[in-house]
Amino acid sequence: MTYNKLKFGSTIGIIGGGQLGKMMAQSAQKMGYRVIVLDPDAACPTQYVAHEFIHAAYDDAEALEELGTKSDVITYEFENINAKQLQKLTERFNVPQGYDAIQRLQDRLIEKQSIQNAGARVVPFVQVTSPNDLNMAVKELGYPFMLKTRFGGYDGKGQVFVDSEQKLEEALALIQEQECVAEQFLELKREVSLTVTRGLNGEILFFPLQENEHRNQILFKTVVPARVHHTAIAQEEVRKITQAIHFIGTFTVEFFIDENDELYVNEIAPRPHNSGHYSIEACDYSQFDTHIMAVTGQQLPPEIQLLKPAVMMNLLGKDLDLLEDVFASHPEWHVHIYGKTSRKPLRKMGHLTQLTNDIETVESDLINYFEGRQS
């Protein structure tokens, strides 16, 4: 294989200055690269670990031009970028990830159609643009189902759980805001995710299958390795998807496992993901390391080694309020604080990871600790 690796001292431009951008920048800098970040938040976390900061909106054409001119390669930390602007950047500058994945995955309907067309298994869904479509969703999917907006929305925003006729009024209100997608609701046995890095030459590197728990539609904890037998089929589903959608760098595919032990693709994040944060301590390469390696043209390692099983807990604002005074008493916790200036109860402020050979005990202890402090 031929790799066009960027030289040490080359500049990586990152669109987005949140915690993912911060951890990307930290990986890039240890490999000898310079970093420029563009973000509309004057206090974004990444600016404090970057060589240069461009304070501008994500769709600011002049600022994006400046970023492109100053960068040897451009990447991004989240998917809510203007796809047309990204396309323009891709035409003029080195953006290995391109705009195809962003353009598809910004639209939940197109995302599901693309996954389905790739031959991967998705939860049954119906496009909903009108009251008649909503009635069709009731008829085809039955109660309950999830109604989600086609664009935007994350961590539980922009969706309604429809479990009866009484919820249709709330569903109709969401449809009036924008077009939606109705998804059949599954009784879940597990939620898992697979973090993957794809190199410039098409090589695919899999991280261990991750077992996740969400609370209020926000990731609560991740256990690695997942305590299920679906690794091989999850990897095969990802291979199908990469044949249909262009990915370079690190991305994560989220899956449902229903009570019948069937695996379904839920959604795709075209960048490093919350459920992969454990890899910073638990693997020989983190998801951010391999992302930087991929977009800069380095050869990826032949496989990822899980150095030790791990439990990762999200730290929301409410968790910091209760726990920050005890971090120093738990050296077994690898605590990451993102550096966001505004603390809100349900805002992701950090995470902690504990490595262990006794997953069940540590998982139970951490859950009890979090819940006990909140009671």
Side-chain angles (χ1 to χ4, degrees):
M1 291 185 177
T2 302
Y3 293 86
N4 298 314
K5 177 181 176 293
L6 290 185
K7 296 179 180 179
F8 298 132
S10 297
T11 298
I12 300 173
I14 302 175
I15 302 174
Q19 65 266 23
L20 300 179
K22 178 181 179 180
M23 290 181 272
M24 278 185 199
Q26 290 169 326
S27 285
Q29 289 189 353
K30 75 179 182 182
M31 296 180 200
Y33 296 110
R34 297 185 72 257
V35 174
I36 301 177
V37 61
L38 182 151
D39 195 277
D41 181 1
C44 69
T46 309
Q47 68 159 308
Y48 301 108
V49 296
H51 293 85
E52 188 174 341
F53 174 49
I54 299 175
H55 182 207
Y58 297 126
D59 60 353
D60 185 323
E62 289 186 8
L64 289 169
E65 176 77 15
E66 179 185 356
L67 181 72
T69 301
K70 292 181 174 180
S71 301
D72 296 294
V73 65
I74 295 174
T75 184
Y76 47 79
E77 67 139 18
F78 75 128
E79 53 267 48
N80 293 323
I81 307 168
N82 184 298
K84 290 184 178 179
Q85 292 282 13
L86 188 60
Q87 181 178 1
K88 291 178 181 178
L89 277 182
T90 302
E91 291 169 353
R92 300 198 56 229
F93 302 108
N94 181 18
V95 188
Q97 293 160 276
Y99 65 92
D100 176 64
I102 288 289
Q103 193 169 50
R104 290 173 187 252
L105 302 183
Q106 283 179 343
D107 183 333
R108 281 193 174 89
L109 178 63
I110 300 300
E111 176 184 19
K112 291 186 178 300
Q113 290 173 337
S114 297
I115 295 168
Q116 190 176 59
N117 292 340
R121 191 173 189 180
V122 294
V123 177
F125 65 93
V126 173
Q127 181 178 358
V128 179
T129 61
S130 68
N132 285 338
D133 291 338
L134 186 60
N135 292 333
M136 184 62 68
V138 173
K139 181 178 179 181
E140 291 192 13
L141 303 177
Y143 295 119
F145 60 87
M146 295 295 301
L147 187 71
K148 301 180 181 180
T149 55
R150 282 183 63 174
F151 302 94
Y154 61 94
D155 291 344
K157 300 177 179 66
Q159 59 183 257
V160 175
F161 177 64
V162 184
D163 60 351
S164 66
E165 188 175 342
Q166 285 68 39
K167 281 291 192 75
L168 292 179
E169 186 174 341
E170 187 177 351
L172 285 169
L174 189 62
I175 296 168
Q176 289 174 354
E177 292 179 16
Q178 65 165 279
E179 295 182 9
C180 294
V181 178
E183 303 171 12
Q184 188 175 76
F185 183 79
L186 299 179
E187 292 295 337
L188 297 185
K189 180 178 179 180
R190 286 281 193 278
E191 293 180 74
V192 298
S193 59
L194 190 59
T195 294
V196 184
T197 303
R198 187 171 185 270
L200 291 182
N201 283 36
E203 69 273 37
I204 297 177
L205 182 64
F206 294 108
F207 284 78
L209 191 65
Q210 300 141 190
E211 179 183 327
N212 305 318
E213 179 185 344
H214 290 79
R215 295 189 178 183
N216 299 317
Q217 287 79 50
I218 301 173
L219 184 65
F220 175 64
K221 67 175 171 64
T222 296
V223 173
V224 182
R227 293 162 291 190
V228 297
H229 59 83
H230 296 75
T231 295
I233 188 172
Q235 291 181 354
E236 181 57 31
E237 294 291 80
V238 168
R239 291 187 189 279
K240 293 175 186 175
I241 290 167
T242 58
Q243 295 298 311
I245 304 175
H246 175 79
F247 287 104
I248 295 295
T250 296
F251 63 100
T252 293
V253 180
E254 298 181 69
F255 299 92
F256 292 142
I257 300 174
D258 71 6
E259 290 187 329
N260 296 319
D261 218 30
E262 298 290 344
L263 185 85
Y264 296 85
V265 177
N266 175 26
E267 59 186 21
I268 305 170
R271 37 72 182 170
H273 189 258
N274 198 167
S275 65
H277 291 347
Y278 72 92
S279 62
I280 297 172
E281 286 84 24
C283 297
D284 55 346
Y285 292 86
S286 78
Q287 63 169 339
F288 302 100
D289 295 337
T290 56
H291 179 75
I292 296 300
M293 293 172 73
V295 299
T296 58
Q298 300 182 50
Q299 182 174 350
L300 298 176
E303 62 180 5
I304 290 294
Q305 296 287 338
L306 180 66
L307 304 177
K308 203 168 188 178
V311 180
M312 189 278 293
M313 307 288 294
N314 249 346
L315 293 171
L316 306 181
K318 63 184 179 65
D319 301 315
L320 282 192
D321 292 340
L322 296 169
L323 295 172
E324 62 182 333
D325 60 329
V326 300
F327 287 150
S329 302
H330 290 274
E332 73 276 16
W333 294 351
H334 296 269
V335 179
H336 295 251
I337 304 300
Y338 301 146
K340 297 177 181 178
T341 55
S342 175
R343 182 184 300 188
K344 299 177 183 178
L346 298 181
R347 191 181 192 193
K348 295 172 184 174
M349 303 299 295
H351 71 270
L352 68 83
T353 302
Q354 184 170 344
L355 309 185
T356 178
N357 288 320
D358 188 354
I359 283 288
E360 281 69 26
T361 297
V362 167
E363 178 186 29
S364 177
D365 287 348
L366 283 171
I367 291 173
N368 289 336
Y369 204 95
F370 272 58
E371 293 178 341
R373 299 280 293 189
Q374 294 174 14
S375 61

